[in-house]
C-alpha cells in the first residue's frame, strides 16, 4: 500500500509549497485538506483561490523531516513544531497584504521563506 504522501512522478508539476511554513504537497491535497501546519489561520481547505494565494509552485530544495522536534535541520530552517513531512528550503512568492494582516491578527510571526528576511534571532 502506498504512503498517503506518495507523489507519482507525473504529478511533480502539481506540487506546491506553503509560503508560511514551506510544507510541500500536491495542490489537490492543499485544496482538500488545507495546510497541516497553517490551516487554523489560513483556512485553505475547500478554497482553491486561497491555495493559489498562499502557496507557490516555485521553490528550491527539499527537506524530509521524520521528527521535527529533535532535528537540528528543523531548528535551522525554523520547522521545529511542525508536522513531519517534506518541506522546501526556500519558497518564492509574496503573500498579499490582507493575508499578512490576517497572520498578524492571529498572533503568527511571519518570516518570509524566500531568504529575503534578515535573521532576527542570530
Amino acid at each position: 500500500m502506498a504512503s498517503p504522501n506518495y507523489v507519482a512522478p507525473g504529478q511533480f508539476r502539481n506540487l506546491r509549497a506553503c509560503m508560511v511554513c514551506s510544507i510541500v504537497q500536491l495542490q489537490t491535497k492543499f485544496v482538500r485538506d488545507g495546510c497541516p501546519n497553517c490551516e487554523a489561520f489560513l483556512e485553505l481547505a475547500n478554497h482553491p483561490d486561497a491555495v493559489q494565494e498562499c502557496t507557490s509552485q516555485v521553490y528550491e530544495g527539499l527537506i524530509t523531516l521524520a521528527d521535527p522536534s529533535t532535528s537540528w535541520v528543523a531548528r535551522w530552517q525554523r520547522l521545529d513544531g511542525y508536522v513531519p513531512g517534506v518541506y522546501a528550503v526556500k519558497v518564492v512568492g509574496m503573500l498579499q497584504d490582507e493575508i499578512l494582516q490576517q497572520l498578524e491578527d492571529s498572533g503568527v510571526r511571519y518570516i518570509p521563506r524566500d531568504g529575503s528576511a534578515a535573521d532576527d534571532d542570530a
Side-chain angles (χ1 to χ4, degrees), residues 2-98:
S3 163
N5 296 323
Y6 173 77
V7 176
Q11 293 292 311
F12 288 151
R13 69 179 53 163
N14 296 323
L15 289 172
R16 298 186 70 86
C18 176
M19 285 193 253
V20 177
C21 72
S22 79
I23 195 163
V24 176
Q25 55 187 21
L26 288 170
Q27 179 175 357
T28 54
K29 188 165 178 160
F30 274 117
V31 172
R32 185 182 66 234
D33 302 330
C35 177
N37 299 306
C38 307
E39 189 59 21
F41 45 87
L42 289 182
E43 300 175 356
L44 301 180
N46 301 312
H47 296 100
D49 291 340
V51 170
Q52 291 294 323
E53 294 169 358
C54 298
T55 65
S56 175
Q57 285 183 299
V58 183
Y59 55 86
E60 296 177 19
L62 293 174
I63 300 168
T64 302
L65 293 176
D67 187 359
S69 64
T70 60
S71 168
W72 70 267
V73 174
R75 284 192 307 276
W76 174 63
Q77 285 294 116
R78 296 183 178 103
L79 302 172
D80 45 332
Y82 289 160
V83 301
V86 177
Y87 291 84
V89 174
K90 286 187 177 183
V91 181
V92 177
M94 300 279 295
L95 290 172
Q96 295 179 355
D97 290 338
E98 303 86 44

